[in-house]
Amino acid sequence: DEALKAQKLPCRFTCRADKAARYNGTCPKCGKPLEKALGKPRAIQVIREALWDETKALFTFRRSHRILTAPVHAEITLPEGFDPPVAPFMTHTGIMVSTVEDMGMGCRAMPYARREPGKFMLRSTSLSFWGLIANGLMLWNGLPLAKTFDAVVTSLAIKYHEPTVRTLDGDFLAPSKHDRIEIGPLLEFIIG
């Protein structure tokens, strides 16, 4: 540790939400506050780690330990008149809700998010991790995918079979068995 401080090299301890909670927000190696990587570097880090864990799980015939790639058993309830004939799926590998179509770095995963004012887009899929990789270009460009359900609604409820960790803009939320998502009042910002 002293050699690291003497050379003034950056600490290589990667910050993840579980590590930040486990070490009270300070790095156990250098003692500095843990900082969350944001934006493009964080997205690339998450994709790289998920791909590595899934590849390792494929060759060792075990399940991946990544929370973000684990399937979740949930029931999605949509408002009257929006229930599709064959969905919502009970086993999901991805549930995304957004009011913006551009997810960053040119990814337009939610193409109908701004189609109707006062509504948001739900995209739920039961594709496997490797199915998502195979359809990555279509997902990136916002095209319809197989085993994927899209809806533009004002509200929805999600009931999970067991407490599930969710993310909001990249931040992990406490495990919950129920989510209710709806459009709130329009916010106005006055600058001047």
Side-chain angles (χ1 to χ4, degrees):
D1 291 334
E2 295 300 322
L4 182 69
K5 290 178 185 175
Q7 294 176 355
K8 295 185 180 180
L9 294 174
C11 180
R12 299 185 134 245
F13 188 77
T14 59
C15 175
R16 292 201 304 243
D18 59 337
K19 289 184 180 179
R22 191 180 316 150
Y23 298 110
N24 296 324
T26 59
C27 177
K29 291 185 179 181
C30 67
K32 292 182 181 176
L34 289 173
E35 295 178 9
K36 185 186 293 184
L38 298 174
K40 190 174 180 179
R42 178 66 178 153
I44 292 170
Q45 177 187 1
V46 168
I47 292 167
R48 186 183 68 235
E49 288 178 3
L51 190 58
W52 170 250
D53 285 344
E54 287 292 330
T55 303
K56 190 167 57 172
L58 183 68
F59 286 109
T60 59
F61 302 106
R62 295 183 182 171
R63 285 187 155 191
S64 172
H65 299 295
R66 299 282 298 175
I67 293 174
L68 295 177
T69 58
V72 63
H73 301 288
E75 177 185 351
I76 299 174
T77 307
L78 302 173
E80 283 294 319
F82 284 100
D83 286 329
V86 293
F89 307 108
M90 286 301 291
T91 301
H92 307 268
T93 53
I95 302 172
M96 297 191 319
V97 177
S98 180
T99 57
V100 293
E101 58 279 302
D102 191 351
M103 307 304 286
M105 299 190 312
C107 177
R108 294 182 47 82
M110 307 295 277
Y112 312 126
R114 294 189 185 202
R115 185 168 65 180
E116 297 180 43
K119 295 185 179 182
F120 59 87
M121 181 179 174
L122 159 74
R123 177 166 270 189
S124 116
T125 184
S126 64
L127 283 170
S128 69
F129 176 81
W130 296 108
L132 286 169
I133 294 294
N135 291 292
L137 191 59
M138 292 179 65
L139 178 67
W140 195 269
N141 292 314
L143 300 173
L145 300 172
K147 294 186 179 180
T148 300
F149 170 70
D150 296 335
V152 178
V153 293
T154 56
S155 65
L156 61 89
I158 305 172
K159 294 180 186 173
Y160 306 101
H161 288 255
E162 56 188 47
T164 302
V165 175
R166 296 105 56 237
T167 64
L168 175 65
D169 287 336
D171 292 328
F172 285 91
L173 302 176
S176 173
K177 289 190 76 171
H178 185 269
D179 275 325
R180 175 136 184 97
I181 303 167
E182 54 191 17
I183 290 286
L186 192 64
L187 299 176
E188 291 184 10
F189 296 93
I190 302 171
I191 301 172

